[in-house]
Amino acid sequence: MFTVFKNHPRYVIAAVVVHLVVGILFAVSFHWTSTPAGSLPPVIQIHTVTDKQIQEIVRSPKAVETPKTDPKDEAAARRQRAEEQKKLQEAERRKEADRKKVALEQERVKKQQKQLEDKRQEELKRTQQFKDKIAAEQKRFDEDQKRQEQLQLQQQQERQRQQAEAIARQAESKRQATIIDKYEALMHQKVKQNWIQPPSSRKKVCIVKINMIPTGDVIDITIISSSGDPVFDRSVVHAIKKSSPLPVPPPEAGLFNVFRELNFEFGTES
Amino acid sequence: MNKLLRQSTKFTALLISVLLLVWRPAAATLTIHITEGVEGALPIALVPFAVTGTEKLPVSLTEVIGADLVTTGRFAPLPENDLIERPDESTKVEYSLWRNKRVDYVVVGKIQLLSPDNYSAQFELVDVIKGTRMIGQTFQAKASGLRRVAHLISDQIYEAITGQRGAFDTYLAYVTITKDRRGKSIYRLAVADVDGANEQMIYESTWPIFSPAWSPDATRLAFVVLRAGSPELYIQNVYSKYAQKVAAFQGLNNAPAWSPDGRRMALTLSKDGNAEIYIMAVDSKKLIRITNSYAVETEAAWAADGSALFFTSDRGGKPQIYRVKITDHGSSGPAQRLTFDGDYNARAAVSPDGKHIAMVNGGGEKSRIGVLDMDTEQFTIVTDMDTKLAESPSFAPNGGMIIYETRADDKGVLVVTSADGRVKHRLSLQSGDVRQPAWSPYKRGE
């Protein structure tokens, strides 16, 4: 800071001066706004008496210069002088009254002007307030509008994103269904091959519930509906156990939950 | 705003429908339907029994058991070379070893010579898939009885695994034909274990022997000897060999069949001019005539409960099986035709539970064995397509198998088939030409 001051004293001073000027200008404050047309009160015509007029009025008696007279005419002169004095006084008095009247009139006019000015200022202030209010409302409205537009845009984007996701999910579910079908078929094949069906299996049905771990190893077999024939039921349990581990989708397919718990129905009612 | 709401509602609906498509509800467990398995035999490992107290046994029990089980078609014993361990007790069986060998069951056992000609034989059956010991028992026997012990063990294994009573400790009766030095045929009625071992000659004749029939207690055989063209009916005790001629009427004295209570015998006589079915009281020889028609009626078989007789009659023009209800005094009501498959059905054999009738179907060169299911009236041929001259079906006492006669190289051979015809096994007997098999009932009173 000081180095700047030291190095460029002229600029600093200039800057200070400019600041001061600007500061003063701000302090004085401009009133740029013009009186809005149509909203002004009617102009009042005032009769103004200037100082010059008043001086003329005051000076006018001097124009009647009295000539030098002899003592005889002293008295008359005195009288005349007295009379003139009197006239003068009278004029003076009138002048004074006029002046007073003018001053009064001026005072009145000033007062009236001030009142007008006050009124005008008041009017201006109100106008400004009104304008400010309108502007604020406009601003608020604009902001609302903007916010809503933004919200709509966001919602639309979200919708598009979700729709895209849904479509992707649908495709994924189709893909998964294909994988599920495939492994269902593989399991069916393996278990069928391991099921040595007892000769007396006609009209026998046995349903078992199995639980697997992700390797396909069967960790639990529960007969949930017995065929009523222990030999048939055992053949079913054997078929499952001999098929363990069952073919399961690779872990990356993320489908293990579909196969974690399975039912196998062996045999037919007919 | 309304538009937005509508759109979002629409979208929510779409989303839900997609989610429904994607998510299988957690509650609906996937069910895989296996309607049919394979027609396979159960893999079973028969670990040779550990022997103590003697160098050599007169017979290998596991070999006998293995042969028994193979006959049923329901078991596939593991070849001895594939036995991965030889435990002698169930507790020593390594289940996983056998599971890896694709074995379902393991049989282990021990034989000990306790004193001269006095053996103790113990066996245990293990389900290696489930990892459980199923059954086990200890027998005591002489050397001569060890084969029977093996058959009894086979019975127990068979019953434990298949749920059906085994029929290995039973007999087969059959007729063998051999030629003597002068080329003359010698007929012998023989009895053997179901595996053909321990064959014993019951009756020998230069005349043809037919229709052996077991008494329900499996102690006596009824049979026909065609002496000089004239059939005679005999009953002989298989143990004492005591023989008795029970019918030698004019004409036919054929096709004996013991009643389930063993006190009566159905037979065919033509003493009154035409072949008809009679019932004879075994003790008093008193006869009751059952059929009476111009046609040939023969080959009677008893219903399992003794309330009816099945027989062959050509009263309809061709031989078919009929059934007639009987009382103590004769028939009750008219005979009813049962068979309609083909124009030849004869020689009925009733299964022990009475639910199936085996018979010769087709006749002549093409004759086959068919089984009629009495409940469903379904008729199934149990012989193979290329079988010729199938004759004399006879049910094992557990109903699970049927033995019948057929021809191979112009000689009679005996074939054992599962009752559904799925599995067949040709019986190996010492004699070359074997016919007229009869499977004995279960032995009684032992």
Side-chain angles (χ1 to χ4, degrees):
Chain A
M1 188 68 182
F2 287 110
T3 49
V4 171
F5 193 71
K6 221 193 284 174
N7 292 343
H8 312 282
R10 275 198 312 196
Y11 297 133
V12 172
I13 289 159
V16 169
V17 170
V18 168
H19 275 86
L20 279 173
V21 170
V22 172
I24 289 158
L25 283 173
F26 271 107
V28 168
S29 117
F30 295 85
H31 226 101
W32 295 110
T33 46
S34 57
T35 312
S39 61
L40 277 181
V43 180
I44 301 161
Q45 208 66 39
I46 309 159
H47 178 68
T48 322
V49 178
T50 62
D51 283 343
K52 205 177 169 189
Q53 280 176 312
I54 294 167
Q55 270 172 6
E56 269 170 18
I57 294 165
V58 173
R59 210 180 288 127
S60 57
K62 272 183 190 166
V64 192
E65 280 288 309
T66 45
K68 279 191 182 165
T69 56
D70 62 79
K72 275 185 259 175
D73 299 322
E74 253 331 276
R78 269 198 313 267
R79 271 192 322 269
Q80 203 179 349
R81 270 200 308 269
E83 214 167 307
E84 280 175 2
Q85 193 71 33
K86 210 177 159 183
K87 273 181 184 171
L88 205 72
Q89 278 174 348
E90 183 66 19
E92 199 67 30
R93 211 173 47 244
R94 273 207 314 266
K95 221 162 80 181
E96 187 63 26
D98 276 356
R99 201 183 289 139
K100 266 185 188 165
K101 205 175 161 188
V102 167
L104 223 81
E105 184 62 26
Q106 274 180 333
E107 185 76 7
R108 199 185 59 83
V109 167
K110 251 187 193 165
K111 212 171 160 185
Q112 209 172 17
Q113 274 180 333
K114 194 176 178 293
Q115 272 177 352
L116 276 171
E117 181 62 17
D118 283 354
K119 209 174 168 186
R120 200 172 67 86
Q121 288 295 336
E122 181 73 11
E123 206 59 41
L124 272 172
K125 206 170 144 195
R126 273 217 303 274
T127 307
Q128 190 56 41
Q129 278 175 347
F130 181 71
K131 275 167 74 180
D132 285 353
K133 204 173 143 192
I134 299 256
E137 261 171 25
Q138 180 70 38
K139 197 176 161 196
R140 227 184 6 253
F141 179 78
D142 286 351
E143 278 171 356
D144 269 1
Q145 190 87 359
K146 211 167 159 188
R147 255 205 312 277
Q148 254 178 26
E149 273 169 14
Q150 216 158 22
L151 196 72
Q152 265 184 351
L153 191 74
Q154 274 178 3
Q155 282 176 339
Q156 201 186 339
Q157 281 171 345
E158 176 69 8
R159 247 191 339 264
Q160 281 171 348
R161 195 182 60 75
Q162 286 182 346
Q163 274 169 349
E165 268 179 18
I167 287 162
R169 262 202 304 273
Q170 213 168 2
E172 175 65 9
S173 82
K174 245 185 203 169
R175 197 180 65 79
Q176 290 185 342
T178 311
I179 298 176
I180 290 169
D181 284 351
K182 178 186 162 190
Y183 281 90
E184 249 189 88
L186 286 174
M187 283 187 191
H188 180 274
Q189 197 185 353
K190 185 164 187 184
V191 174
K192 181 191 162 95
Q193 278 168 0
N194 280 315
W195 185 31
I196 299 171
Q197 200 175 356
S200 53
S201 322
R202 231 180 36 183
K203 290 185 183 175
K204 284 174 188 167
V205 174
C206 174
I207 303 170
V208 289
K209 188 189 86 182
I210 67 155
N211 289 92
M212 271 189 280
I213 54 174
T215 55
D217 285 286
V218 178
I219 50 163
D220 189 43
I221 306 174
T222 316
I223 295 174
I224 54 176
S225 172
S226 168
S227 67
D229 175 0
V231 173
F232 190 91
D233 288 357
R234 187 172 56 227
S235 77
V236 163
V237 172
H238 273 202
I240 296 285
K241 287 205 168 186
K242 285 162 86 174
S243 304
S244 173
L246 285 163
V248 285
E252 59 266 26
L255 285 171
F256 178 64
N257 277 337
V258 178
F259 295 103
R260 184 182 295 281
E261 191 181 296
L262 282 183
N263 285 347
F264 277 91
E265 188 182 310
F266 287 77
T268 51
E269 297 287 355
S270 56
Chain B
M1 200 61 196
N2 259 348
K3 197 180 160 199
L4 206 75
L5 206 76
R6 266 206 313 277
Q7 275 187 344
S8 68
T9 314
K10 244 157 115 185
F11 176 68
T12 310
L14 175 76
L15 194 72
I16 287 169
S17 61
V18 167
L19 289 182
L20 283 176
L21 277 175
V22 173
W23 286 344
R24 287 161 185 256
T29 310
L30 197 64
T31 298
I32 297 177
H33 296 259
I34 316 269
T35 51
E36 234 176 43
V38 289
E39 293 185 355
L42 298 165
I44 186 167
L46 301 162
V47 179
F49 292 179
V51 182
T52 51
T54 179
E55 287 296 304
K56 189 152 168 41
L57 286 174
V59 60
S60 162
L61 269 64
T62 45
E63 270 177 30
V64 173
I65 295 165
D68 279 349
L69 296 177
V70 162
T71 316
T72 65
R74 298 184 63 176
F75 293 91
L78 202 66
E80 206 180 317
N81 287 342
D82 290 348
L83 300 174
I84 36 184
E85 59 164 357
R86 298 187 175 223
D88 59 359
E89 281 178 19
S90 59
T91 51
K92 296 176 186 168
V93 174
E94 282 285 343
Y95 304 138
S96 58
L97 279 179
W98 297 103
R99 275 203 291 264
N100 291 340
K101 264 274 175 195
R102 318 292 296 162
V103 166
D104 288 15
Y105 302 97
V106 172
V107 176
V108 294
K110 305 178 195 184
I111 300 175
Q112 199 182 352
L113 182 64
L114 302 169
S115 54
D117 202 25
N118 181 20
Y119 296 88
S120 140
Q122 177 206 311
F123 89 99
E124 287 173 285
L125 171 64
V126 178
D127 177 342
V128 289
I129 305 294
K130 279 187 175 175
T132 52
R133 175 189 183 273
M134 294 174 77
I135 48 164
Q137 197 180 327
T138 305
F139 301 87
Q140 245 177 295
K142 293 179 177 179
S144 61
L146 284 175
R147 282 196 80 92
R148 182 157 187 229
V149 167
H151 290 311
L152 290 169
I153 292 173
S154 299
D155 276 347
Q156 292 208 7
I157 292 168
Y158 184 82
E159 185 164 357
I161 294 173
T162 68
Q164 275 184 346
R165 187 173 171 185
F168 302 107
D169 183 34
T170 53
Y171 296 127
L172 298 174
Y174 47 88
V175 177
T176 68
I177 306 164
T178 52
K179 305 276 185 193
D180 70 4
R181 281 162 300 178
R182 289 168 294 170
K184 197 167 163 47
S185 289
I186 307 289
Y187 298 86
R188 291 189 181 92
L189 175 63
V191 169
D193 293 348
V194 286
D195 56 358
N198 293 329
E199 186 179 275
Q200 292 177 66
M201 206 264 288
I202 301 296
Y203 189 90
E204 186 180 300
S205 172
T206 53
W207 305 107
I209 301 171
F210 290 103
S211 309
W214 285 97
S215 64
D217 60 358
T219 61
R220 285 172 291 172
L221 279 168
F223 56 93
V224 176
V225 179
L226 192 62
R227 192 176 299 278
S230 173
E232 297 173 345
L233 184 60
Y234 290 81
I235 290 176
Q236 180 163 345
N237 187 300
V238 296
Y239 296 104
S240 70
K241 307 288 196 309
Y242 168 73
Q244 183 190 6
K245 193 190 286 185
V246 292
F249 296 101
Q250 179 74 35
L252 302 175
N253 296 274
N254 283 14
W258 299 78
S259 65
D261 61 11
R263 288 183 297 164
R264 291 170 291 168
M265 184 177 288
L267 70 168
T268 303
L269 302 173
S270 60
K271 65 183 179 68
D272 300 320
N274 190 20
E276 301 288 353
I277 307 289
Y278 292 78
I279 290 176
M280 182 175 73
V282 172
D283 289 340
S284 67
K285 311 289 186 290
K286 197 182 149 202
L287 289 170
I288 301 166
R289 185 166 170 169
I290 300 299
T291 61
N292 191 352
S293 82
Y294 55 89
V296 171
E297 261 97 41
T298 185
E299 299 170 343
W302 291 81
D305 61 359
S307 68
L309 286 178
F310 298 87
F311 62 93
T312 308
S313 171
D314 63 357
R315 62 179 68 178
K318 304 275 186 182
Q320 296 291 352
I321 307 291
Y322 291 77
R323 175 176 57 190
V324 64
K325 290 198 170 135
I326 54 165
T327 65
D328 287 345
H329 313 290
S331 64
S332 158
Q336 199 187 341
R337 182 172 163 181
L338 294 180
T339 54
F340 298 91
D341 289 272
D343 56 10
Y344 185 103
N345 289 292
R347 183 62 171 78
V350 182
S351 69
D353 63 3
K355 290 182 177 171
H356 296 87
I357 313 289
M359 65 195 72
V360 177
N361 171 265
E365 274 285 317
K366 290 177 192 162
S367 66
R368 326 173 276 180
I369 305 299
V371 175
L372 177 67
D373 186 318
M374 296 296 281
D375 291 336
T376 64
E377 295 185 4
Q378 200 181 329
F379 188 73
T380 313
I381 299 297
V382 296
T383 47
D384 291 334
M385 289 292 285
D386 56 354
T387 301
K388 284 188 217 169
L389 293 163
E391 286 287 338
S392 308
S394 174
F395 275 99
N398 66 356
M401 289 172 284
I402 297 168
I403 191 166
Y404 60 89
E405 166 201 332
T406 181
R407 294 295 156 89
D409 302 327
D410 213 30
K411 284 181 174 175
V413 292
L414 304 187
V415 174
V416 175
T417 176
S418 57
D420 58 6
R422 245 170 45 168
V423 184
K424 284 175 193 71
H425 174 80
R426 191 164 137 184
L427 209 64
S428 56
L429 291 164
Q430 289 144 7
S431 314
D433 194 350
V434 196
R435 300 182 186 188
Q436 306 275 315
W439 206 312
S440 83
Y442 287 114
K443 297 169 187 175
R444 288 187 190 173
E446 287 181 273

